[in-house]
């Protein structure tokens, strides 16, 4: 499911950050070259090679015209944009979007993720019915928002101390 060039970049990031990413049995890859109407949040089992994919939003600052396609990344505070690069999934908490998971940016392109509160959470605007109604998902403020019915599966696959790699290749 993951395009080979994107997989190569994700594996290179996994190697580059091996000192920070303790669990390497599974990785998540957000393919932001695809439309938000497509399952583009891929969870790859590094042992079996099998993957599961989910819908995921991008930030409103990454798609100001709301086309359904990410136009640009940003790491800037208050940009409401998605950041690219490798993220370390850390602890869970309950926030304004309910159950959520903090992310630490590991690259210079996303090292403000923690201070920007870029997290994994669920949202109504990431549910599948948005595609039927609007042809695409809504947009987050830069977070990886998934459908409300997918959050438990995403948390189970991601866990803590694993990597998310986000890119547009």
């Amino acid at each position: 499911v993951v395009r080979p060039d994107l997989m190569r970049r994700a594996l290179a990031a996994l190697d580059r950050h091996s000192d920070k990413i303790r669990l390497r049995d599974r990785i998540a890859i957000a393919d932001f070259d695809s439309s938000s109407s497509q399952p583009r949040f891929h969870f790859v089992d590094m042992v079996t090679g099998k993957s599961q994919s989910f819908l995921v939003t991008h930030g409103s600052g990454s798609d100001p015209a709301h086309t359904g396609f990410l136009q640009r990344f940003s790491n800037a505070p208050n940009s409401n944009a998605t950041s690219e690069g490798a993220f370390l999934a850390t602890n869970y908490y309950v926030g304004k979007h309910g159950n959520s998971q903090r992310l630490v940016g590991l690259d210079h392109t996303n090292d403000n993720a923690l201070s920007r509160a870029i997290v994994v959470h669920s949202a109504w605007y990431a549910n599948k019915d948005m595609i039927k109604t609007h042809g695409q998902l809504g947009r987050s403020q830069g977070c990886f928002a998934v459908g409300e019915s997918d959050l438990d599966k995403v948390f189970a696959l991601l866990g803590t101390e694993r990597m998310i790699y986000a890119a547009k290749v």
Side-chain angles (χ1 to χ4, degrees):
V1 171
V2 180
R3 292 176 297 111
D5 52 347
L6 182 57
M7 189 69 182
R8 278 191 293 276
R9 284 192 183 192
L11 292 174
L14 187 63
D15 287 342
R16 188 170 57 251
H17 299 296
S18 62
D19 59 325
K20 296 175 189 88
I21 301 165
R22 195 173 72 77
L23 298 178
R24 302 165 57 91
D25 58 331
R26 204 166 32 247
I27 60 173
I29 300 173
D31 183 353
F32 286 119
D33 200 43
S34 299
S35 165
S36 68
S37 66
Q38 301 298 311
R40 59 184 182 172
F41 201 17
H42 310 293
F43 289 81
V44 181
D45 185 311
M46 301 300 287
V47 177
T48 67
K50 293 183 180 181
S51 64
Q52 292 183 56
S53 302
F54 300 89
L55 295 169
V56 68
T57 64
H58 53 259
S60 60
S62 290
D63 179 13
H66 201 10
T67 64
F69 288 91
L70 182 142
Q71 305 296 320
R72 68 178 188 92
F73 289 108
S74 178
N75 190 32
N78 303 313
S79 67
N80 290 338
T82 298
S83 297
E84 66 182 319
F87 297 83
L88 176 65
T90 64
N91 62 310
Y92 300 100
Y93 69 101
V94 178
K96 71 179 185 178
H97 294 286
N99 293 330
S100 303
Q101 185 173 20
R102 287 186 177 90
L103 301 174
V104 174
L106 301 176
D107 294 312
H108 73 279
T109 55
N110 65 3
D111 58 2
N112 289 327
L114 197 58
S115 64
R116 290 181 60 210
I118 303 302
V119 302
V120 177
H121 66 78
S122 67
W124 62 269
Y125 55 81
N127 290 334
K128 290 177 188 169
D129 63 345
M130 290 296 290
I131 297 168
K132 291 178 193 164
T133 308
H134 302 286
Q136 63 195 9
L137 297 181
R139 298 165 298 165
S140 67
Q141 293 179 312
C143 293
F144 296 86
V146 299
E148 293 164 312
S149 65
D150 290 334
L151 186 65
D152 288 343
K153 290 177 251 178
V154 166
F155 279 173
L157 289 167
L158 184 57
T160 59
E161 301 186 57
R162 288 191 179 93
M163 181 185 80
I164 296 175
Y165 184 73
K168 181 175 179 167
V169 178

